[in-house]
């Protein structure tokens, strides 16, 4: 719609925003009218109309099999559009049109904003299935007529009351028509069922909706007064009411077809099961986070016990082995701590990498600086946990074997995240400027525990590749290539 309006018309951005607000609401008008809606806007030179939006009803057959958006029609071809635009009134004159052997009644509704007519809504009703209307259909049609008059007067939609139509109640979910005093004139079967879910034993018709709703809600006090006002439809609002184990979502729409409020429409939907599932998901998320928190605490306890045992060891090799185990357990604990703070099983791994680097840097025998370049991005938990251990082992290996006691140096960790949607990969390089690899060293066959852990996790759990090479000038370079999920 933005492109069509800016290309063909002289409407301002504020006018376009009003049309967007109208289009976000007009599914209601289409459903209440049992009719297709097409929004026509006059072109810049005033000789034609361009259709910028279209809506089909959920409550009846369509009048248009084809998409009308983008069509251009010269003035004079559709007299009802001309009359509505020029005179600023709803035009219903004329005989039905025949489209592919289907009679269609056409009406034109001017779209007014701040006294100016921006365009015209063509309301097209398929008359092929016309029959004697029921009370429900008559209420729908009367409400549609009131809304159409409000559009023509520029009082609907309501400024500042943008509604999410994906989650807001629709006409078919449940509809209540109130008079100016808030008394129910008509309630659809779905609306009555929703109130029965709240605990209402009687009929709704003839009752004051605000008072009945407040009585069914469990709260008492000042909240009741606000609830009475909201449910009485005095202002355009959307809210929920819970009682008797049921939850209903309501949306109030004041009806002012001639500038004076004559009543209200209240759309409502039973969302009891939806809210129950949401609460179950919230409980599940909280449980998962609590599990991660407890796992982190247990791992930290294990690390503390290992650290205590290391202090009591007489053997230097035994003490160092326990300290390495402390760091391995600590790297896993960092991942679980991060997961305990998230709503899903995904983590921002750059934070974990920073903490792993800081943890391992504590064992540096010399004045070694560790740096992180690039971004790991967001990773799934099943990737983050083994990767944190791999990063710990590689850094630990570099700090222990690349530099002598008191020697200065640098260890640089680089991460490059590929964005290919079909085969996203994470390339990690760990480079040091230390003493380099021993003569004849083969990283694929090296027997120390740290490299065995790296090979097992990278090739087995992560499905990636691992290699250790001499640096370009000096030192050692470790390259990890790991498949990951594409970033969203």
């Amino acid at each position: 719609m933005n492109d069509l309006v800016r290309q063909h018309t002289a409407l301002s951005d504020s006018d376009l925003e009003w049309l967007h607000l109208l289009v976000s609401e007009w599914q209601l008008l289409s459903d209440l009218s049992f009719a297709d809606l097409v929004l026509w806007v006059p072109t810049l030179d005033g000789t034609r109309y361009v259709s910028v939006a279209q809506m089909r009803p959920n409550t009846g057959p369509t009048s248009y099999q084809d998409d009308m958006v983008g069509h251009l029609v010269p003035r004079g071809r559709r007299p009802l559009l001309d009359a509505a635009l020029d005179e600023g009134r709803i035009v219903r004159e004329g005989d039905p049109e025949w489209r592919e052997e289907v009679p269609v009644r056409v009406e034109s509704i001017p779209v007014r904003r701040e006294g100016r007519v921006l365009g015209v809504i063509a309301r097209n009703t398929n008359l092929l299935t016309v029959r004697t209307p029921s009370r429900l259909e008559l209420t729908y049609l009367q409400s549609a007529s009131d809304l159409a008059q409000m559009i023509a007067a520029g009082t609907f939609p309501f400024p500042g009351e943008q509604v999410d139509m994906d989650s807001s109640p629709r006409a078919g979910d449940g509809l209540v028509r109130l008079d100016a005093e808030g008394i129910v004139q008509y309630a659809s079967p779905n609306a009555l069922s929703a109130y029965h879910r709240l605990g209402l034993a009687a009929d709704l018709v003839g009752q004051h909706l605000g008072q009945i709703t407040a009585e069914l809600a469990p709260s008492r006090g000042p909240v009741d007064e606000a609830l009475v006002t909201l449910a009485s439809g005095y202002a355009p609002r959307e809210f929920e009411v819970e009682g008797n184990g049921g939850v209903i979502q309501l949306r109030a729409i004041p009806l002012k077809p001639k500038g004076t409020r004559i009543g209200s429409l209240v759309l409502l939907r039973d969302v009891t099961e939806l809210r129950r599932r949401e609460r179950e998901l919230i409980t599940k998320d909280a449980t998962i986070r609590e599990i991660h928190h407890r796992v982190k605490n247990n791992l930290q306890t294990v690390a503390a016990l290992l650290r205590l045992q290391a202090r009591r060891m007489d053997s230097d090799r035994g003490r160092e082995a326990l300290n390495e185990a402390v760091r391995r357990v600590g790297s896993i604990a960092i991942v679980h701590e991060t997961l305990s703070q998230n709503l899903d099983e995904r983590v921002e791994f750059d934070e974990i990498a920073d903490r792993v680097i800081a943890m391992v840097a504590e064992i540096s025998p010399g004045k070694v600086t560790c740096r992180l370049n690039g971004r790991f991005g967001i990773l799934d938990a099943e990737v983050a946990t083994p990767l944190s251990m791999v990063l710990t082992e590689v850094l630990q290996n570099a700090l222990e074997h690349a530099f002598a006691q008191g020697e200065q140096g640098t260890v640089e960790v680089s991460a490059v995240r590929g964005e290919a949607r079909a085969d996203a990969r994470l390339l990690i390089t760990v480079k040091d400027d230390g003493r380099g690899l021993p003569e004849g060293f083969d990283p694929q066959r090296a027997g120390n525990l740290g490299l065995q852990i790296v090979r097992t996790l990278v090739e087995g759990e992560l499905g990636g590749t691992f290699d250790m090479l001499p640096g370009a000038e000096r030192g050692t370079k470790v390259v990890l290539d790991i498949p990951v999920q594409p970033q969203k």
Side-chain angles (χ1 to χ4, degrees):
M1 185 165 71
N2 287 352
D3 294 340
L4 289 170
V5 168
R6 288 169 180 157
Q7 179 182 356
H8 294 285
T9 78
L11 296 182
S12 65
D13 289 342
S14 57
D15 292 334
L16 179 57
E17 187 62 31
W18 181 263
L19 295 184
H20 275 293
L21 186 61
L22 172 65
V23 169
S24 71
E25 294 273 25
W26 71 344
Q27 179 71 65
L28 175 61
L29 177 62
S30 178
D31 290 344
L32 293 175
S33 304
F34 309 97
D36 292 72
L37 306 178
V38 180
L39 177 57
W40 297 93
V41 179
T43 58
L44 183 61
D45 58 10
T47 63
R48 295 180 296 176
Y49 299 96
V50 58
S51 58
V52 298
Q54 179 179 3
M55 178 57 66
R56 293 183 174 91
N58 294 317
T59 52
T62 183
S63 301
Y64 285 111
Q65 298 298 328
D66 300 326
D67 186 6
M68 295 297 296
V69 175
H71 282 214
L72 290 165
V73 173
R75 273 185 67 97
R77 179 173 297 179
R78 300 195 176 184
L80 297 185
L81 293 182
D82 298 338
L85 182 68
D86 297 338
E87 301 173 20
R89 64 179 180 89
I90 299 175
V91 181
R92 295 190 178 91
E93 295 88 350
D95 297 327
E97 297 180 2
W98 287 83
R99 301 175 187 164
E100 299 180 357
E101 299 183 355
V102 175
V104 176
R105 182 176 65 243
V106 181
E107 304 170 66
S108 295
I109 305 167
V111 177
R112 192 183 303 274
R113 174 180 179 264
E114 297 180 351
R116 296 179 299 112
V117 177
L118 307 182
V120 179
I121 295 175
R123 182 163 55 176
N124 304 270
T125 307
N126 187 326
L127 300 178
L128 196 61
T129 58
V130 169
R131 65 188 191 289
T132 303
S134 64
R135 178 73 186 278
L136 172 67
E137 292 168 330
L138 289 173
T139 303
Y140 272 30
L141 292 172
Q142 180 58 53
S143 302
S145 176
D146 293 335
L147 289 177
Q149 292 183 56
M150 292 170 65
I151 291 173
T155 57
F156 185 84
F158 303 108
E161 292 294 328
Q162 187 88 29
V163 175
D164 183 2
M165 293 306 298
D166 291 333
S167 60
S168 183
R170 301 193 176 192
D173 296 326
L175 179 143
V176 176
R177 173 88 185 211
L178 309 179
D179 65 12
E181 303 301 322
I183 305 300
V184 178
Q185 295 179 312
Y186 175 79
S188 70
N190 285 345
L192 188 58
S193 296
Y195 266 83
H196 285 167
R197 187 73 175 264
L198 288 182
L200 179 68
D203 194 0
L204 270 176
V205 176
Q207 305 273 8
H208 190 283
L209 187 67
Q211 295 175 359
I212 285 291
T213 304
E215 291 173 3
L216 295 173
S219 59
R220 292 291 179 265
V223 176
D224 280 359
E225 297 181 10
L227 189 58
V228 170
T229 302
L230 288 173
S232 300
Y234 289 107
R237 292 289 185 273
E238 191 169 316
F239 56 99
E240 287 189 4
V241 174
E242 182 172 357
N244 195 40
V247 184
I248 61 173
Q249 181 183 15
L250 300 97
R251 182 191 175 198
I253 303 173
L255 297 176
K256 303 176 181 179
K258 296 181 180 179
T260 303
R261 181 175 169 277
I262 63 169
S264 305
L265 273 184
V266 178
L267 307 179
L268 56 94
R269 178 173 58 171
D270 185 347
V271 293
T272 304
E273 293 303 314
L274 178 63
R275 296 296 176 258
R276 182 184 63 81
R277 290 195 297 269
E278 288 178 352
R279 287 166 184 161
E280 288 179 353
L281 288 174
I282 292 172
T283 302
K284 178 182 176 182
D285 289 339
T287 302
I288 292 173
R289 289 200 298 272
E290 179 63 21
I291 290 172
H292 284 303
H293 181 71
R294 294 190 180 188
V295 170
K296 182 263 295 183
N297 288 344
N298 291 339
L299 289 172
Q300 288 180 337
T301 301
V302 171
L305 292 173
L306 291 173
R307 194 177 295 112
L308 182 63
Q309 185 67 36
R311 293 195 188 105
R312 296 174 178 268
M313 292 289 293
D314 296 329
S315 168
D316 291 339
R317 293 188 60 186
R319 186 183 305 109
E320 182 56 34
L322 287 175
N323 285 332
E324 288 181 1
V326 168
R327 288 187 286 274
R328 287 166 185 149
V329 172
S331 66
I332 301 174
I334 290 172
V335 176
H336 282 282
E337 182 179 4
T338 306
L339 288 169
S340 70
Q341 300 169 2
N342 293 346
L343 293 176
D344 56 14
E345 293 290 288
R346 292 166 68 82
V347 296
E348 179 64 63
F349 195 80
D350 295 277
E351 300 176 6
I352 294 174
D354 286 334
R355 296 180 62 181
V356 167
I357 291 172
M359 178 182 67
V360 177
E362 296 176 358
I363 70 166
S364 173
K367 299 177 180 180
V368 180
T369 302
C370 295
R371 293 198 302 260
L372 174 61
N373 296 320
R375 290 193 71 252
F376 289 86
I378 297 176
L379 298 176
D380 292 335
E382 57 264 28
V383 175
T385 302
L387 182 57
S388 68
M389 287 194 65
V390 168
L391 189 59
T392 300
E393 295 298 333
V394 172
L395 288 170
Q396 191 167 274
N397 187 73
L399 292 174
E400 285 184 354
H401 301 293
F403 304 99
Q405 186 72 33
E407 184 179 2
Q408 293 186 350
T410 302
V411 176
E412 182 176 331
V413 180
S414 300
V416 178
R417 185 77 175 261
E419 296 299 331
R421 304 302 294 179
D423 186 23
R425 304 190 73 81
L426 178 61
L427 183 65
I428 305 168
T429 305
V430 180
K431 295 187 296 184
D432 66 69
D433 54 3
R435 68 187 67 171
L437 296 174
E439 188 71 26
F441 179 81
D442 184 357
Q444 302 302 329
R445 297 184 180 180
N448 74 69
L449 178 60
L451 290 181
Q452 288 181 10
I453 291 174
V454 171
R455 286 198 300 269
T456 300
L457 292 177
V458 172
E459 297 172 0
E461 287 198 34
L462 298 174
T465 60
F466 156 73
D467 201 3
M468 183 179 286
L469 309 167
E473 298 180 0
R474 58 175 297 183
T476 305
K477 179 172 69 172
V478 176
V479 180
L480 308 170
D481 189 357
I482 300 169
V484 293
Q485 290 292 327
Q487 296 196 81
K488 298 180 180 179

